[in-house]
């Protein structure tokens, strides 16, 4: 487990692809428990360690996850996420290049609970929710494109679904049309950057995620 930032109120860690943020029916040890154990050992805390889950990342996605170490920070961070005051930047490696190097994507998404999948439409349909993001092509390799994404709404599988709908499925994301899986079961989607005003100190925080070990993340040539 890699800690990227910590203080008395929050801790930001790098989630590896394949880890779950919170416990689920699989029974696998979640990242939240690993962070609790880290805090307990580092600060010699007796008894139960408080740790609040502020947000999640899909299991096959890697990148930055914020946890709250105090109830005050948890309440305030939850409110900041609700109001859209936490700004997250994602990087995605896609199979194809979009027709426009940068643009705003607006689709109507319908979530299918049974399939754990969302479907994108170009107009409003029954049960749909508006999904908006902006993207920009920032890198290229022989076969893949690196796209930077800023979410303007927070819908289920939003980036995965909207990029696939645009004809640019994320590398390794079989659920949304990728041709083959990644060897480690990941999809090439990274929560790369997070920016917000600290819930207690009120300082501006701007944190970058390390890149995953997959060599392709390091081999992308920047688009000038």
């Amino acid at each position: 487990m890699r800690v990227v930032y910590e203080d008395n109120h929050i801790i930001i860690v790098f989630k590896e692809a394949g880890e779950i943020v919170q416990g689920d029916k699989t029974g696998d040890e979640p990242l939240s428990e690993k962070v609790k154990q880290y805090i307990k050992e580092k600060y010699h805390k007796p008894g139960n360690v408080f740790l609040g889950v502020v947000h999640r990342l899909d299991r096959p996605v890697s990148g930055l996850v914020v946890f709250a170490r105090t109830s005050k920070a948890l309440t305030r961070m939850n409110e900041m996420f609700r109001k859209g005051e936490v700004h997250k930047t994602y990087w995605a490696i896609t199979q194809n290049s979009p027709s426009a190097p940068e643009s705003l994507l607006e689709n109507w998404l319908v979530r299918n609970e049974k399939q754990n999948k969302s479907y994108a439409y170009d107009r409003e349909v029954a049960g749909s929710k508006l999904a908006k993001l902006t993207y920009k092509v920032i890198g290229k390799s022989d076969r893949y494109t690196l796209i930077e994404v800023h979410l303007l709404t927070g819908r289920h599988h939003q980036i995965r679904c909207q990029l696939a709908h645009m004809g640019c499925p994320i590398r390794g994301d079989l659920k949304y049309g990728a041709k083959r899986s990644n060897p480690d079961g990941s999809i090439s989607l990274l929560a790369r950057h997070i920016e917000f005003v600290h819930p207690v100190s009120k300082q501006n925080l701007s944190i970058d995620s390390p890149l995953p070990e997959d060599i392709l993340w390091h081999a992308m040539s920047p688009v000038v």
Side-chain angles (χ1 to χ4, degrees):
M1 189 190 77
R2 280 191 273 184
V3 176
V4 183
Y5 173 89
E6 67 179 301
D7 61 33
N8 291 334
H9 293 279
I10 62 171
I11 182 166
I12 303 175
V13 301
F14 175 77
K15 181 184 104 60
E16 302 277 358
E19 287 186 306
I20 49 173
V21 174
Q22 248 183 327
D24 66 7
K25 60 189 178 192
T26 64
D28 295 341
E29 185 184 23
L31 188 57
S32 57
E33 288 302 317
K34 295 176 186 176
V35 176
K36 279 184 184 179
Q37 194 58 36
Y38 164 84
I39 293 168
K40 189 178 181 70
E41 290 173 6
K42 180 171 180 178
Y43 300 102
H44 310 293
K45 285 189 173 286
N48 290 330
V49 171
F50 177 87
L51 191 76
V53 176
V54 176
H55 67 116
R56 296 164 190 77
L57 290 178
D58 294 342
R59 186 166 194 153
V61 178
S62 55
L64 298 176
V65 178
V66 182
F67 294 98
R69 290 190 56 196
T70 61
S71 55
K72 179 196 282 189
L74 178 61
T75 302
R76 292 183 182 176
M77 287 299 301
N78 282 338
E79 183 70 2
M80 287 159 64
F81 266 94
R82 192 182 66 78
K83 290 180 172 176
E85 294 170 352
V86 179
H87 306 289
K88 292 193 286 181
T89 304
Y90 290 83
W91 283 6
I93 297 175
T94 63
Q95 277 179 196
N96 306 315
S97 289
S99 53
E102 56 183 295
S103 188
L104 166 71
L105 292 186
E106 289 187 296
N107 300 109
W108 295 87
L109 266 53
V110 175
R111 181 176 182 176
N112 184 313
E113 297 274 359
K114 281 186 181 174
Q115 294 179 322
N116 188 31
K117 184 176 179 180
S118 289
Y119 292 85
Y121 298 87
D122 295 327
R123 57 181 175 79
E124 189 172 6
V125 298
S128 63
K129 291 181 177 177
L130 182 61
K132 297 165 73 171
L133 61 79
T134 60
Y135 75 83
K136 181 179 182 180
V137 173
I138 59 169
K140 292 255 179 149
S141 72
D142 291 345
R143 292 166 52 200
Y144 297 104
T145 300
L146 180 61
I147 296 177
E148 183 171 271
V149 174
H150 294 273
L151 282 177
L152 304 178
T153 54
R155 306 297 181 213
H156 176 255
H157 289 182
Q158 182 178 337
I159 298 173
R160 300 167 65 179
C161 183
Q162 284 194 277
L163 292 187
H165 186 69
M166 181 174 65
C168 301
I170 293 171
R171 177 175 169 261
D173 197 358
L174 297 179
K175 180 169 278 193
Y176 287 95
K179 290 174 185 168
R180 60 183 66 86
S181 59
N182 290 343
D184 62 357
S186 70
I187 64 172
S188 299
L189 180 60
L190 172 70
R192 171 63 170 161
H193 180 80
I194 195 161
E195 207 165 308
F196 56 93
V197 175
H198 192 285
V200 181
S201 72
K202 302 306 178 190
Q203 288 181 311
N204 279 318
L205 281 183
S206 180
I207 309 289
D208 279 331
S209 165
L211 292 179
E213 290 179 5
D214 182 342
I215 190 127
L216 190 57
W217 286 105
H218 304 265
M220 287 284 182
S221 302
V223 172
V224 179

